[in-house]
Amino acid sequence: MHISLFIHSTTGNTETVARYTAGWLKNRGHTVITQDLVKNPSCPDLRTTDLLIPASPTMYFRPTLVMERFVAALPVLPKGEIKPAFLLGTCAGEPGDHFSALARMLEPKGWKTVGAHWVPCASNYPTHLAAVRFLQNASWLRSYLENKFKPLQPLLWTLWPNVDPDEGDREELDSALRGLCHNLMFHSILDDHFRPMERYARSRVCSFLGKTMPMDCFDKMVGIKIDEDRCDKCNICVENCPTGTLSSENPHLAPRVGSGCTGCFACYNLCPKHAISAVATPQGKGVYKGPSENMRKLFAPPS
């Protein structure tokens, strides 16, 4: 198969999982073309693509707005043509409406969602991390409650968001990819073998929140601010802003914050001087430093 894998990753979790997935598929003889939507948000020609894989983190119980806008801009396939899509994500708890939202957007463009998979990862949402940081020294309590009360797992991930994937999570991804390749080889994507997307959202509450989230007001909700005195004008935030909200016109001044912020917090997490703050998120209090060494080893691209 000729596979197109599109990645939006804010601090590295999704990119780590997506690169592993690309390597896994290449080792099975497939051609995989990857595209980083931060560096290149343009829509390519998909006429020779046999399988589409959009990969992004869950953000506010949905895909990231960067991924949603990219999918919305994809051209419609020629009349009567239907091709498969496999949805890949990372999430600190519950994906909500993430996969169902993308499936609804892809269907009228001729892409049928034939599967989806998400890998549990530590939260990289600074407001969340800042709010629960006082609980992180009591991870033993999370482990106890998780073992004692399995249904509470999504709630516990909310209170202790520093979840790290383990070998079982990688094996589940491997199994999902094996099933995908097997099904595409032996089943028509038009038959009933491919079940509806509702099975990928375990919580109806989180799905509802994702469907009703006001996606056009993140500028005001996030409120990014840059401290002129702390900023060293390195422009890392500008280079990693997927929407062009941050811009630098004078190398001697801190970047300017414009409109269009989608609340991905890449700038906050990547700023080496902790010069960025946001609503309910003080400077440096909720910084996520990227995938752990354990995660990078688990999901190192197969050689």
Side-chain angles (χ1 to χ4, degrees):
M1 287 189 294
H2 187 285
I3 302 169
S4 294
L5 198 165
F6 299 100
I7 306 168
H8 177 223
S9 184
T10 59
T11 47
N13 288 340
T14 303
E15 181 176 13
T16 300
V17 171
R19 300 291 180 190
Y20 173 85
T21 298
W24 192 98
L25 292 166
K26 286 178 181 178
N27 278 356
R28 272 70 182 175
H30 304 293
T31 300
V32 184
I33 304 299
T34 60
Q35 180 174 320
D36 184 336
L37 297 185
V38 175
K39 297 176 181 176
N40 180 12
S42 63
C43 296
D45 186 346
L46 297 176
R47 284 177 294 182
T48 61
T49 295
D50 301 310
L51 174 66
L52 177 72
I53 304 181
S56 84
T58 294
M59 187 174 75
Y60 313 109
F61 304 110
R62 296 177 65 91
T64 62
L65 270 175
V66 170
M67 182 58 73
E68 287 196 35
R69 288 169 178 170
F70 174 78
V71 170
L74 289 176
V76 177
L77 293 176
K79 188 175 181 179
E81 189 172 0
I82 300 176
K83 292 186 177 183
F86 179 80
L87 313 181
L88 185 63
T90 56
C91 178
E94 168 62 56
D97 196 46
H98 181 142
F99 298 130
S100 295
L102 284 182
R104 291 193 299 270
M105 296 174 70
L106 286 166
E107 184 175 9
K109 295 179 178 294
W111 297 95
K112 179 176 179 179
T113 299
V114 297
H117 187 80
W118 59 279
V119 175
C121 295
S123 174
N124 64 358
Y125 184 42
T127 307
H128 181 194
L129 296 178
V132 299
R133 65 184 185 278
F134 65 93
L135 284 172
Q136 302 318 298
N137 292 329
S139 56
W140 60 269
L141 179 58
R142 185 200 78 191
S143 298
Y144 170 78
L145 293 172
E146 201 169 42
N147 291 328
K148 195 77 172 175
F149 307 102
K150 288 290 185 182
L152 289 179
Q153 191 179 63
L155 173 62
L156 297 176
W157 282 352
T158 300
L159 297 175
W160 284 276
N162 55 344
V163 176
D164 216 23
D166 56 28
E167 290 187 10
D169 296 310
R170 185 187 62 196
E171 290 169 2
E172 286 186 6
L173 175 58
D174 290 349
S175 177
L177 294 174
R178 282 194 296 270
L180 170 70
C181 294
H182 178 273
N183 289 339
L184 290 177
M185 183 176 294
F186 295 105
H187 297 275
S188 165
I189 63 173
L190 298 178
D191 67 23
D192 293 332
H193 186 80
F194 298 103
R195 291 178 286 172
M197 293 306 303
E198 282 68 20
R199 68 186 173 118
Y200 297 109
R202 297 181 302 180
S203 166
R204 291 184 180 181
V205 173
C206 292
S207 294
F208 174 78
L209 289 173
K211 290 177 182 177
T212 57
M213 186 65 65
M215 306 303 284
D216 57 351
C217 60
F218 282 114
D219 284 30
K220 296 178 181 178
M221 289 173 59
V222 178
I224 290 293
K225 294 182 180 179
I226 300 177
D227 187 326
E228 179 78 38
D229 296 328
R230 288 187 105 172
C231 176
D232 67 356
K233 290 72 177 176
C234 67
N235 280 342
I236 288 178
C237 59
V238 176
E239 294 167 2
N240 287 277
C241 178
T243 60
T245 298
L246 302 178
S247 60
S248 177
E249 300 169 358
N250 187 329
H252 303 294
L253 297 177
R256 187 176 68 86
V257 182
S259 61
C261 178
T262 61
C264 75
F265 280 98
C267 59
Y268 182 99
N269 284 317
L270 296 173
C271 178
K273 296 297 182 180
H274 305 319
I276 298 176
S277 62
V279 173
T281 314
Q283 295 170 345
K285 295 298 184 183
V287 172
Y288 178 68
K289 298 180 180 179
S292 66
E293 183 179 353
N294 172 64
M295 181 177 177
R296 292 188 185 279
K297 287 180 179 179
L298 273 175
F299 293 96
S303 55

